[in-house]
Amino acid sequence: MQPWSNEAAYQRIEQTSTEMLSEMKQQVSQSLYTQTFHLQPPFGAAGKPNGMIFYKGKYYISHEWYPFYSKQGLSYGYQYESSDLVHFNTDGSVLKPDSQYDNYGIKGGSTFVYQNNLHFLYTGLGLSREKLLFPYQLLAFINNHHQANKYPKPVVENPPENFLPSLQDPSVFEKNGQYYALFGAQTEEMQGRILVYHADNPLNWQYVKPIKTQLTDFGNVWTSPDYFTLNGYDILMFTAQHEEGSTQAGFLLGHLDFNNFHMNHGDFKLLDEGFGFTSPQTFVDNTGEIVLMGLLEAQGDIELLNQADLAPCLSLPRTLSIEQGKLYQRPYKAYETLRYNEETALGYANKFMRQLHPYEGEQFEMCIDILENEATEIYFELRTSRNNATLITYNTHSRLVTLDCSESGALPQGDFGTKCSVQLAKPLEQLRIFVDSSSIEIFCNDGERVMSSRIFPAKDSTGIRTATESGQVYLKFTKYNLNSIFDLEL
C-alpha cells in the first residue's frame, strides 16, 4: 500500500469504501510489528491520550486517532473499554470531527464527571473567521449509551492577553468544590506555559492565570498538562516541545499554592528516559491508585517499514507512588493475569556470552534478579539473532543502566539517538522488562527509573543472551509469555 497523500489524510472514514477499510486492517494484521499487549487502533495512528477515566465499574481509555496515519491530517477520538484495565474491547464510540469547530480534528482533552454524568472537554481544530486553522476548546456530554452530544459553541475561544492562539489539551480536575482546567499554551515570546481556568459548571470557564514555575525558558510550547496529588506532594506533569523538534515528557514535584498558583518544586524530571515516550496522562483506578499511560512512537521515518509497521501505541499502564520523596512507576499489577508458560533459569554469568536455552520469544515479560554481583559490567541481550540485539548494560561502579538500540533492527533516518542511560540511587537488584512485537519497556529496581523504546527487529530475532565484562554475577531469570489484551474490531 502506498503512503497516503495529503488529500487522503483529510478524507473521512465515513466516506471511505469498505474495500479500502478492509485493506488497511489487513495491512495491520499482517505486520510483524503490530502490538499484542499494548493498546493500538485496528488501523491508522494513535495520537496523544485524550481522556481516561474509571466510571461506573468501567475504564474508558481514549486517544487521538489519525485513520490515514498522517498527523497533519484529520483526527478522530478513539475509545476502548475495559472492566479490569487489562482486557479491552472497543465500545463503538468514536468522536467524529463533524462540527464547525472541530471539523479539522479532535485533539487532546479530558474526561470528567459533573453531576454524575460524563463530560469531555477537548481541543477541536476548526477554521477561524480568517479561514485559518484555529484551536477551539469544546465540551461534549457523554450519555448512557456513550454517545457524545456536543455543546454548539466553544466554552473557551480566544487565548488570554500575551498568549498565542495555541491553547490545547485541557486537563480537568476538582479541588475544594471547584473545577479547574489546565491548558497547554505558548506565550508571544514563544515560551511554554500552563494556563489555569476555573468553573462552577463546565459551560462557564474563566481564565485565572499561568502557573508560575522556576522554568522561565524551557521549551517553546507545553502540551498535555496534568495535575494530581500523591502522598502530600503536588505533581505537575506536561510535555515540553523544543524549537529544534525534540520533546521531553516529565513532571515537577513540589507544592502548588492555589491562592496565587505559584509552585515550589524541584528539577524537571523525565518520566521515561528512553525514546519516543510522550504526552502521558493519569487517572484514578478503582482502588484509588494513580495510573499513568503515555504514547509510544518511533522516532522519525524508517525507510524499510510501512505506516502500519510504525503505527504508535499507548504504553503499559503504570501505577505511581512517592517513596522517599521520589516518584516510582510500576507496571499495572493486573497485567500479571496475562502471564502463561513461566520459565525460570538460575545460575552464574561470566565474560563468555551465554545463550539462554530454550528461553526465547517475541512478546514476553522478563524479570532479572541480580543475586550476587562481582562483575564490572553485566550485559543482557534481548530479541537477538545473527544481525539484531537490543542490549541492556549495567555498570557496577557507576550504577548506570544503559539501553542500546543501535542493533535492535530497522533504524530511523536522521540524527536520532539509539543509546540512553539512567543512574540508580543504589546497586541494581532487579530489571523487569516487557518486550512486545515492536517495543521494550524497562523498569529498574522496582520502578525507580524507566526506559522505553520502539524496536523493529527481524522475525528470527528471538534469542536471549547474557555475559559480563569481567567477573561473574549470579542471576535469576523468570520469563513469562503474555497473552494479547484483545482482538480489535472497529
Side-chain angles (χ1 to χ4, degrees):
M1 184 182 293
Q2 295 298 314
W4 300 104
S5 65
N6 288 334
E7 181 180 352
Y10 274 98
Q11 69 178 299
R12 297 176 180 273
I13 55 172
E14 305 94 299
Q15 300 167 351
T16 304
S17 69
T18 302
E19 293 77 13
M20 178 64 75
L21 293 176
S22 178
E23 183 183 352
M24 290 192 292
K25 290 181 181 180
Q26 185 179 35
Q27 188 183 36
V28 173
S29 66
Q30 292 176 349
S31 171
L32 292 177
Y33 303 114
T34 297
Q35 301 281 65
T36 62
F37 56 87
H38 288 79
L39 283 175
Q40 200 171 32
F43 61 88
K48 66 182 70 169
N50 65 357
M52 301 188 291
I53 196 168
F54 179 75
Y55 176 70
K56 293 186 177 180
K58 296 284 187 180
Y59 293 95
Y60 300 97
I61 308 297
S62 62
H63 58 69
E64 298 171 352
W65 179 41
Y66 299 84
F68 301 98
Y69 293 96
S70 171
K71 290 200 173 181
Q72 284 70 50
L74 195 64
S75 56
Y76 292 65
Y78 197 87
Q79 187 174 77
Y80 314 87
E81 179 185 313
S82 174
S83 59
D84 59 6
L85 204 56
V86 178
H87 304 91
F88 289 88
N89 293 303
T90 52
D91 73 347
S93 66
V94 175
L95 191 62
K96 299 176 182 179
D98 57 5
S99 77
Q100 174 185 352
Y101 300 102
D102 65 11
N103 59 349
Y104 281 86
I106 307 294
K107 302 300 180 181
S110 179
T111 307
F112 63 100
V113 177
Y114 174 72
Q115 294 184 344
N116 297 317
N117 291 304
L118 280 182
H119 291 72
F120 182 46
L121 183 65
Y122 68 100
T123 301
L125 201 59
L127 290 181
S128 67
R129 295 181 182 88
E130 294 78 22
K131 304 301 180 183
L132 300 174
L133 288 179
F134 190 92
Y136 296 98
Q137 312 313 315
L138 308 171
L139 183 72
F141 165 74
I142 312 298
N143 65 26
N144 290 332
H145 302 288
H146 303 296
Q147 298 167 328
N149 300 309
K150 299 177 182 177
Y151 187 69
K153 295 181 180 180
V155 293
V156 176
E157 187 167 353
N158 295 313
E161 188 178 358
N162 301 321
F163 284 86
L164 296 173
S166 60
L167 295 188
Q168 58 188 298
D169 308 339
S171 176
V172 178
F173 62 94
E174 186 179 4
K175 190 177 181 70
N176 301 326
Q178 183 85 189
Y179 285 89
Y180 292 92
L182 304 182
F183 289 84
Q186 183 180 45
T187 69
E188 292 178 343
E189 290 77 29
M190 306 293 285
Q191 295 175 336
R193 294 291 184 271
I194 294 175
L195 303 187
V196 181
Y197 285 69
H198 72 91
D200 296 319
N201 70 74
L203 291 176
N204 185 30
W205 294 99
Q206 302 295 320
Y207 173 61
V208 182
K209 59 170 55 179
I211 293 178
K212 184 175 178 57
T213 72
Q214 298 166 25
L215 303 178
T216 56
D217 189 14
F218 179 71
N220 63 344
V221 63
W222 294 356
T223 66
S224 302
D226 196 9
Y227 165 83
F228 56 95
T229 61
L230 196 56
N231 293 17
Y233 289 91
D234 293 316
I235 297 175
L236 186 65
M237 196 167 68
F238 58 92
T239 297
Q241 298 183 1
H242 299 277
E243 189 173 0
E244 75 277 8
S246 65
T247 61
Q248 292 178 291
F251 66 96
L252 301 174
L253 178 68
H255 298 283
L256 178 60
D257 188 336
F258 275 75
N259 294 313
N260 58 19
F261 290 97
H262 288 196
M263 186 169 187
N264 294 319
H265 58 82
D267 294 337
F268 180 84
K269 304 275 188 172
L270 295 177
L271 284 155
D272 191 301
E273 298 181 74
F275 306 107
F277 178 87
T278 186
S279 307
Q281 294 286 280
T282 65
F283 60 100
V284 180
D285 76 355
N286 64 325
T287 68
E289 291 197 282
I290 303 289
V291 180
L292 175 146
M293 297 178 75
L295 185 69
L296 271 180
E297 53 187 344
Q299 302 184 98
D301 294 324
I302 301 177
E303 185 177 5
L304 299 177
L305 304 182
N306 64 38
Q307 296 163 117
D309 296 333
L310 294 171
C313 64
L314 297 191
S315 71
L316 290 180
R318 305 173 183 181
T319 303
L320 304 184
S321 65
I322 299 287
E323 299 172 24
Q324 299 179 336
K326 297 176 63 175
L327 183 70
Y328 277 69
Q329 304 173 71
R330 296 181 175 92
Y332 197 65
K333 187 169 178 57
Y335 261 59
E336 294 176 7
T337 62
L338 296 176
R339 294 171 172 174
Y340 71 99
N341 191 32
E342 177 181 348
E343 297 174 311
T344 301
L346 186 69
Y348 287 96
N350 54 35
K351 65 180 182 179
F352 300 103
M353 186 63 73
R354 178 184 176 189
Q355 177 88 26
L356 299 185
H357 290 293
Y359 312 116
E360 58 183 20
E362 298 174 64
Q363 302 97 12
F364 58 88
E365 175 190 352
M366 172 76 80
C367 297
I368 304 175
D369 294 293
I370 290 84
L371 304 179
E372 299 174 13
N373 182 18
E374 299 174 354
T376 53
E377 276 193 345
I378 312 171
Y379 308 120
F380 306 105
E381 292 185 351
L382 307 176
R383 294 298 306 267
T384 67
S385 64
R386 182 184 298 272
N387 298 313
N388 297 150
T390 298
L391 173 64
I392 303 168
T393 301
Y394 174 64
N395 183 282
T396 302
H397 175 72
S398 65
R399 301 194 304 278
L400 280 179
V401 179
T402 300
L403 170 63
D404 185 349
C405 299
S406 60
E407 297 183 0
S408 291
L411 296 175
Q413 300 171 311
D415 186 20
F416 293 99
T418 58
K419 185 183 294 188
C420 56
S421 298
V422 296
Q423 185 171 40
L424 303 179
K426 62 180 183 179
L428 180 64
E429 296 176 352
Q430 186 191 72
L431 294 173
R432 191 171 174 194
I433 306 165
F434 290 81
V435 175
D436 207 340
S437 305
S438 57
S439 67
I440 182 169
E441 292 175 75
I442 305 166
F443 297 82
C444 307
N445 276 355
D446 200 25
E448 177 192 342
R449 306 295 283 272
V450 183
M451 293 184 287
S452 303
S453 182
R454 297 299 296 272
I455 56 173
F456 301 95
K459 174 70 175 175
D460 64 348
S461 300
T462 60
I464 300 170
R465 299 189 296 215
T466 186
T468 69
E469 178 188 52
S470 63
Q472 64 180 10
V473 59
Y474 191 47
L475 301 168
K476 179 182 178 181
F477 290 86
T478 308
K479 175 183 170 290
Y480 306 91
N481 292 343
L482 296 179
N483 285 305
S484 176
I485 53 176
F486 65 138
D487 182 19
L488 279 173
E489 292 291 343
L490 184 62

